[in-house]
Amino acid sequence: DSGVTQTPKHLITATGQRVTLRCSPRSGDLSVYWYQQSLDQGLQFLIQYYNGEERAKGNILERFSAQQFPDLHSELNLSSLELGDSALYFCASSVQGGSTKEQYFGPGTRLTVT
Amino acid sequence: AQSVTQLGSHVSVSEGALVLLRCNYSSSVPPYLFWYVQYPNQGLQLLLKYTTGATLVKGINGFEAEFKKSETSFHLTKPSAHMSDAAEYFCAVRYGGTSYGKLTFGQGTILTVHP
């Protein structure tokens, strides 16, 4: 158990809908990262937050947004969902945003868009 | 652009045999390097990491990896495979600067261990 929690574990929704994925980092970790894992794209970095502020952005679609709250939990919002958004979404956390600090991954949320 | 290449999407070994999973990165600046393992229906677990210092890094579950700058490689090895090692393994790199937090992953290598 990494100490990173994600809810829900599974999510099934229809095209065009909006969903929110939630992540609670390990106790004491200030940085949260979101990744998408799909069969065709592999594991891709989406976005990073550090202590409530956006720190780095990757291949995140404009239909997706994220935020980190004062209690350090984070939410990833996916809107106007398409079939291609079906994937496993991971949240990871680290103590700081520094490059040497390892990231601890949550169990993921499996999103299925039908 | 940062990239990581894992040679071989599937590797199959016998129980007790040497495990060798290959990882090469492209960069003129040495990155920080990580190996993660993913068991079915689970998240990623850190096996080991290289940041600075000793180029031979030991990790959990008997795995180790050697950073070779001249070959831009960070191959993962284990002397003797166990059935419980069957999983998917990901090599990842991380840089500083504007890519501050981003982990770039290889495509993964599925390790099968047969009796």
Side-chain angles (χ1 to χ4, degrees):
Chain A
D1 185 355
S2 67
V4 179
T5 60
Q6 289 187 249
T7 57
K9 197 172 178 64
H10 299 278
L11 200 50
I12 302 174
T13 189
T15 55
Q17 295 298 304
R18 172 189 169 93
V19 297
T20 297
L21 313 184
R22 183 187 168 101
C23 167
S24 292
R26 293 188 321 155
S27 177
D29 284 0
L30 299 178
S31 212
V32 168
Y33 312 77
W34 286 97
Y35 292 86
Q36 180 194 59
Q37 185 179 32
S38 62
L39 283 175
D40 53 345
Q41 297 291 328
L43 264 164
Q44 294 214 359
F45 168 73
L46 295 178
I47 196 164
Q48 177 200 2
Y49 278 82
Y50 177 74
N51 205 20
E53 295 190 2
E54 184 183 304
R55 176 62 66 95
K57 221 167 183 176
N59 299 322
I60 187 165
L61 299 172
E62 284 191 15
R63 300 184 285 108
F64 296 0
S65 64
Q67 59 185 129
Q68 186 179 26
F69 296 86
D71 67 352
L72 301 177
H73 91 271
S74 178
E75 293 181 356
L76 179 67
N77 300 295
L78 314 177
S79 61
S80 303
L81 285 168
E82 302 174 359
L83 294 177
D85 297 328
S86 296
L88 197 49
Y89 291 85
F90 286 111
C91 167
S93 73
S94 67
V95 172
Q96 305 166 12
S99 297
T100 63
K101 298 301 178 185
E102 56 264 36
Q103 297 176 20
Y104 293 88
F105 282 74
T109 293
R110 184 170 295 282
L111 173 66
T112 303
V113 182
T114 62
Chain B
Q2 310 160 8
S3 69
V4 181
T5 302
Q6 290 183 239
L7 292 175
S9 58
H10 291 80
V11 170
S12 181
V13 299
S14 299
E15 193 173 20
L18 171 72
V19 175
L20 171 60
L21 304 182
R22 299 176 188 273
C23 173
N24 288 87
Y25 65 91
S26 65
S27 172
S28 58
V29 177
Y32 300 112
L33 295 152
F34 305 82
W35 274 100
Y36 283 86
V37 61
Q38 184 178 27
Y39 297 101
N41 300 313
Q42 293 188 28
L44 282 79
Q45 181 183 8
L46 180 69
L47 278 176
L48 49 80
K49 67 174 184 178
Y50 170 79
T51 54
T52 58
T55 56
L56 183 61
V57 179
K58 293 188 185 300
I60 63 171
N61 301 339
F63 284 94
E64 61 182 37
E66 186 171 10
F67 170 61
K68 292 187 176 180
K69 184 179 175 180
S70 61
E71 298 177 8
T72 60
S73 69
F74 190 56
H75 301 332
L76 182 71
T77 60
K78 182 173 180 178
S80 177
H82 192 270
M83 297 295 288
S84 61
D85 295 326
E88 188 162 15
Y89 293 79
F90 292 92
C91 180
V93 301
R94 191 173 178 188
Y95 300 86
T98 56
S99 301
Y100 199 61
K102 174 183 174 180
L103 272 175
T104 299
F105 286 90
Q107 285 300 102
T109 298
I110 296 173
L111 175 66
T112 302
V113 182
H114 48 87

